[in-house]
C-alpha cells in the first residue's frame, strides 16, 4: 500500500505566494496613486522678482505620487520668498523657483546684449552674465561676472536710432550690481547663458 502524502505540493505553495505578492503590489500602487499631498499653489500669476505675500498662495490637496519632493511642502511657509521664475495662477509652487528674499536682495538692471539671444532666454529664465573687457587688440577671454540673474523681460528698442543690441531687464544680486554697472560703463561686451527654463506648467 502506497504511503499517504502528508506534505502539500511545494508548487502550489509557491503559486499561492506569488498571487498574494501580486495582489499586494497592485494594492500598493493603487494606494500610492490615490494618495493626496497638501502643497502650496499660486492664487495669481507670480512673476520673477515678486515677493510672495499671504494672499498670493493657498494650500491645496494634490496628487503628486512621484514628484512631491519637487514642490514646496505645506509645512514650509512661502510668504516672503523671492520668485525666480513665472508661476501661473493655480500652479503648485516648485521648490526650484523660490529663494530667500531676505538673504538675496536684487536690483533691476537693463543691459545690452550684442547678437541674437538663445531661445531659452525669456521672461523667468535664470542666466549667467558673461563679460569680455576690451583691449588694444580686441577683447579679453570671457568670464562669468554674475551668477543666476533673473530675466524680467526682453525689451525692444523702437527708437529711430535703434541698435542691433538686444536689451534685457535683469534682476541681479544687489551686492553684484556695481560690478555689472562698472562693466557696462567700461564698454565690456556682455553675453548671457541660460541656466533654466521658465516654469510654464506643473507636470
Amino acid at each position: 500500500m502506497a504511503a499517504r502524502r502528508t506534505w502539500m505540493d511545494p508548487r502550489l505553495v509557491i503559486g499561492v505566494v506569488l498571487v498574494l505578492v501580486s495582489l499586494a503590489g497592485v494594492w500598493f500602487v493603487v494606494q500610492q496613486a490615490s494618495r493626496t499631498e497638501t502643497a502650496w499653489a499660486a492664487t495669481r500669476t507670480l512673476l520673477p522678482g515678486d515677493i510672495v505675500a499671504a494672499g498670493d498662495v493657498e494650500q491645496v490637496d494634490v496628487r503628486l505620487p512621484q514628484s512631491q519632493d519637487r514642490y514646496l511642502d505645506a509645512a514650509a511657509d512661502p510668504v516672503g520668498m523671492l520668485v525666480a521664475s513665472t508661476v501661473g495662477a493655480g500652479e503648485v509652487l516648485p521648490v526650484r523657483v523660490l529663494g530667500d528674499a531676505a538673504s538675496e536682495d536684487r536690483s533691476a538692471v537693463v543691459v545690452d546684449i550684442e547678437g541674437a539671444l538663445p531661445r531659452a532666454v525669456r521672461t523667468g529664465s535664470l542666466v549667467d552674465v558673461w563679460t569680455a573687457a576690451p583691449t588694444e587688440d580686441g577683447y579679453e577671454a570671457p568670464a562669468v561676472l554674475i551668477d543666476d540673474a533673473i530675466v524680467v523681460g526682453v525689451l525692444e528698442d523702437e527708437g529711430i536710432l535703434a541698435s542691433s543690441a538686444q536689451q534685457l531687464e535683469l534682476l541681479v544680486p544687489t551686492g553684484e550690481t556695481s560690478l555689472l554697472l562698472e562693466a557696462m560703463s567700461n564698454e565690456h561686451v556682455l553675453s548671457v547663458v541660460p541656466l533654466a527654463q521658465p516654469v510654464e506648467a506643473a507636470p
Side-chain angles (χ1 to χ4, degrees):
M1 182 176 181
R4 179 179 297 178
R5 298 181 62 182
T6 58
W7 296 100
M8 185 179 296
D9 189 340
R11 291 175 296 180
L12 177 60
V13 175
I14 294 174
V16 171
V17 170
L18 291 177
V19 170
L20 292 176
V21 170
S22 177
L23 291 175
V26 171
W27 177 85
F28 178 78
V29 170
V30 171
Q31 289 295 106
Q32 288 294 102
S34 62
R35 189 181 67 181
T36 61
E37 302 285 344
T38 302
W40 290 98
T43 59
R44 67 173 182 87
T45 298
L46 301 176
L47 301 176
D50 284 349
I51 303 299
V52 179
D56 294 336
V57 291
E58 63 181 358
Q59 290 189 349
V60 295
D61 291 329
V62 292
R63 294 181 180 179
L64 302 172
Q66 297 179 348
S67 55
Q68 61 265 33
D69 293 341
R70 295 163 50 188
Y71 298 93
L72 192 66
D73 186 82
D77 186 1
V79 175
M81 290 186 175
L82 175 72
V83 179
S85 294
T86 303
V87 181
E91 292 181 12
V92 179
L93 299 182
V95 173
R96 70 183 182 89
V97 308
L98 299 172
D100 187 351
S103 63
E104 190 178 15
D105 292 333
R106 291 179 179 259
S107 302
V109 180
V110 175
V111 300
D112 291 332
I113 306 296
E114 293 291 341
L117 293 172
R119 290 184 180 180
V121 176
R122 55 181 186 254
T123 299
S125 298
L126 293 177
V127 298
D128 280 347
V129 180
W130 289 66
T131 180
T135 65
E136 293 182 357
D137 300 326
Y139 292 91
E140 295 180 356
V144 176
L145 181 66
I146 306 292
D147 292 316
D148 294 343
I150 303 171
V151 178
V152 176
V154 180
L155 308 180
E156 295 184 3
D157 189 351
E158 298 179 349
I160 298 177
L161 300 178
S163 66
S164 61
Q166 302 275 347
Q167 289 189 320
L168 294 181
E169 183 178 355
L170 303 176
L171 287 176
V172 300
T174 300
E176 300 177 6
T177 303
S178 60
L179 298 176
L180 182 56
L181 294 177
E182 182 180 0
M184 294 167 60
S185 64
N186 290 329
E187 299 183 347
H188 289 206
V189 173
L190 301 177
S191 303
V192 293
V193 176
L195 301 178
Q197 300 288 338
V199 176
E200 297 179 345

